[in-house]
């Protein structure tokens, strides 16, 4: 059992918020701080940390990850700029038990696609569609306390086909004004780590200020949290003796 | 291996087509005959039979079922009028290997809910919504040869939450003009029988005349077909000897 | 959130422990009290209740179920003696959110098979096989704190094929001295209710005195517990207005 | 529809059969030829090709893969010697629709682990255990025509925990003399490609001469075959227009 408080590390490439006027207006301190403030409010006792691309090792040192229960990942403009050694390090921590929440355009990050084994491609349109996020699994803890549907007034459209492995659980399915649908909240397990992908959240719309979106992310952080911070990546064992 | 031709039995309660003017106009011979003609055209060599509620034992005698590879089920106005002994007989044939395709309002039939164990309830609205049927599993044989999405100009809306067990496969997810989503094509296995539920198809709209809808039903009939017509309902076996 | 303590109701047909000498020796007060004492010890603050077949309405009155978070079910010799109205009542509570843990020979109970839709048959042999219970889902909360494998020195063999729907999660798979395998710990959702089936536990062997078996049942009780005691059986809703 | 014959390419690293006396005795022409002969006999009209590690590009050129419906993979001693560019090429073909059957120690190949995203580690013992391969999904086409269980007199033990993502389907579960269990036949989809992993088949035992093992591999080759040889790797599409 983790006896310390839940520690969430929010990773953001932090590019759009430093150069795009519209994004700066919505997220003057960066999306990571908006999300972090929400988690602090919604998860009493949570320990929120942040890390960004420009930091040494992107802020994802062995020490930082070892102290993390759940990692959030937001990337878009610079997936390729993330060092392969850091990607591999994050992957090992997930396999060893660290929770991972991948947000929106993080679907195309090296971290996510290397854990899935697919392209994670989809179809998209950034034209202010209304997104309705429907709960498909009403007793899932990630859906606790949110209306059905969550209404997001304006958002980038992410549509099927979404090239992911069949998820273990589909928590949410979204529709868009243009008629598209999307598996917008899905879970996976890799090794000992729990993974949740949640698609709402483009940089051009104030989606992370939406209280229901914040609630989902907070629920997911709790859900993805490992029962222990000890990391045990599965490994080959043999020759083993028969059970006697 | 079934060496004879695939035999499909289309069961229709056949009530709306005998009393509702609008439905009579769309399906003058009954939906079962519209679907049957499509299957005959799309599945060379198929043997199509039909049965309806008013027939003795609803046309679902032991002999009729024993000669059936795949049963299609359409019911709406008279779920309660289906005899429990017939429901139990159908269920035993499914458990023993007969394929079952449940269409549209058949979601609330005794046959379907007793095989699922849930209420199979949903939300609905009959107001001429446009339905878009998106393929989620692009390499699934049931989705072969249909556009993505299938566009149904007017249709009753069936929306989530849909109270079914987690499906083994989700082949299609639909959106509706009103913003709802629905798992519109899903598969289950019960005993040795394969089950496909496909929601498009209200009596008030000409959905079963739609070529893509017909293609899906034809694909599903092939997919649900057992490899042998021998029925083997799983049964308790014991005491058995250890394997030596 | 359930603010009161978790309330577990342990239902036992309570027949073998009143007439079979060997079983009386192992469980002088009945299996329900052995399990209840374990839960009391392992789940601080838990509220344990029991009910048996001979009680009026088998002790499963509307009031008893309404006050229950998780129901445990052990039956074997008298599945048919359980009243259909009680079975239906239990089923409605599960669909509405009550957790259900089905133990061992309860696989063939009306409650379980009507929630699954299959026969739940299997092969068996009561000849003192050693059972090894392997954890397949190492990060699942039901597997927390148990060795891999759990070793049960003597137990009835339950073997595949086990006629159940594809489980949502397989937590445990067992092997037996005779070479058989069995999906011995599996989960399902029906409506809002979480269901766990756990096969170890024949009346002729002291399995419910085994500390690891007790730990699994305690973990499962926590896992199956609903977030609220309000029961909401899914129901048909319509005609609904479009989302605007 | 593939109108040409099914083309299966059997890849074998082909190392043990060139240097280990015991293996040479069992497979004088290499495992790939033993398996190939079986497929030729069991799948009328099949087109069997082979490729091995020492060939240029390991025999897995773009042209060779483009003409392949289903690739079989056997590797053990030289996983690291497989070029990353070839691994990536194989992966793209799977994502685009080519079937993949991974055999035994291929669980640890770069091809398999990069498609799964996990370590695919397990526990093992090479001590002549008897393996029993139980069919869990009796109506699955891969299990057609094999006894339940398949008895393999001597085989390397592969035991749980097996670090793979939750499979889409579990077709077989094995037990071993030493008491271990293993998910020995499991399916996955990645992109448009179907993947089957089948664990029986160590080089030190004559497992690929076993008629039931041959039958499973033949069934799997049919099952994994794409409906078209056109390769379509899923890709990002946008901005797309709304559906009108």
């Amino acid at each position: 059992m983790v006896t310390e408080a839940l520690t969430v590390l929010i990773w953001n490439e932090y590019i759009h918020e430093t150069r795009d006027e519209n994004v700066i207006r919505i997220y003057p301190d960066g999306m990571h701080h908006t999300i972090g403030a929400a988690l602090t409010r919604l998860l009493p006792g949570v320990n929120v940390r942040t890390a960004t691309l420009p930091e040494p090792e992107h802020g994802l040192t062995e020490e930082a990850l070892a102290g993390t229960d759940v990692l959030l990942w937001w990337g878009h403009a610079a997936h390729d700029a993330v060092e392969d050694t850091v990607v591999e390090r994050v992957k090992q921590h997930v396999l060893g038990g660290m929770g991972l929440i991948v947000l929106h355009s993080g679907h195309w990050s090296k971290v996510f696609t290397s854990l899935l084994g697919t392209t994670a491609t989809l179809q998209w349109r950034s034209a202010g569609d209304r997104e309705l996020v429907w709960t498909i699994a009403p007793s899932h803890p990630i859906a606790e306390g949110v209306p059905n549907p969550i209404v997001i007034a304006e958002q980038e459209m992410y549509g099927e086909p979404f090239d992911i492995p069949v998820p273990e659980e589909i928590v949410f399915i979204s529709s868009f004004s243009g008629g598209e649908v999307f598996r917008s909240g899905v879970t996976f397990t890799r090794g000992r780590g729990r993974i949740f992908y949640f698609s709402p959240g483009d940089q051009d719309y104030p989606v992370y200020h939406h209280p229901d979106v914040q609630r989902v992310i907070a629920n997911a952080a709790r859900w993805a949290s490992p029962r222990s911070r000890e990391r045990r990546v599965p490994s080959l064992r043999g020759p083993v003796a028969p059970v006697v």
Side-chain angles (χ1 to χ4, degrees), chain A:
Chain A
M1 265 304 195
V2 177
T3 50
E4 315 96 298
L6 173 67
T7 297
V8 177
L9 175 58
I10 307 176
W11 190 87
N12 181 8
E13 60 173 32
Y14 197 36
I15 292 181
H16 294 290
E17 301 99 319
T18 64
R19 68 179 193 201
D20 302 348
E21 238 178 80
N22 175 45
V23 184
I24 293 169
R25 200 174 324 114
I26 303 174
Y27 299 113
D29 301 320
M31 282 178 273
H32 47 307
H33 284 298
T34 302
I35 295 170
L39 295 185
T40 300
R41 197 174 60 250
L42 292 167
L43 298 172
V46 73
N47 185 4
V48 170
R49 297 172 185 170
T50 61
T52 59
L53 185 69
E55 299 175 37
E57 305 183 46
H58 315 316
L60 299 169
T61 60
E62 178 58 35
E63 194 191 345
L65 294 172
T68 296
D69 294 311
V70 178
L71 176 69
L72 269 68
W73 192 275
W74 200 100
H76 178 238
H79 290 316
D80 280 349
V82 178
E83 299 285 352
D84 286 344
T85 54
V86 173
V87 170
E88 185 57 29
R89 189 186 298 150
V90 169
K91 192 175 164 181
Q92 292 302 313
H93 275 271
V94 172
L95 295 174
M98 183 179 71
L100 176 68
I101 300 175
V102 176
L103 295 170
H104 191 60
S105 43
H107 72 92
W108 224 18
S109 63
K110 293 182 197 174
V111 163
F112 193 47
T113 57
S114 74
L115 282 162
L116 293 190
T118 61
T119 67
T121 52
L122 44 78
Q123 57 170 328
W124 62 274
R125 172 181 62 246
S126 191
D129 279 63
R130 178 193 66 179
E131 176 173 359
L132 301 176
V133 185
W134 294 90
T135 294
I136 298 305
S139 54
H140 199 287
I142 295 182
E144 190 170 357
V146 298
N148 197 3
I150 300 171
V151 179
I152 302 176
E154 284 194 308
Q155 158 73 325
E156 186 181 22
M157 184 282 289
Y158 270 13
E160 299 280 347
F162 185 21
D163 179 37
I164 52 174
V166 175
E168 287 167 42
E169 302 166 306
I170 302 181
V171 184
F172 302 113
I173 295 176
S174 289
S175 72
F176 294 85
S177 315
E180 292 85 2
V181 298
F182 197 65
R183 289 168 290 175
S184 49
V186 292
T187 75
F188 303 93
T189 306
R190 289 295 181 272
R192 295 179 172 272
R194 292 174 151 202
I195 302 173
F196 180 62
Y197 173 76
F198 188 52
S199 62
D202 192 64
Q203 71 279 357
D204 287 327
Y205 306 95
V207 176
Y208 294 121
H209 292 287
H210 192 301
D212 298 328
V213 168
Q214 294 176 348
R215 167 62 69 191
V216 168
I217 297 173
N219 287 344
R222 247 191 330 219
W223 171 86
S225 175
R227 292 195 298 278
S228 146
R229 199 170 286 159
E230 181 201 1
R231 295 283 142 80
R232 280 188 292 159
V233 179
S235 61
L236 210 61
R237 291 181 51 222
V240 297
V243 182
V244 274

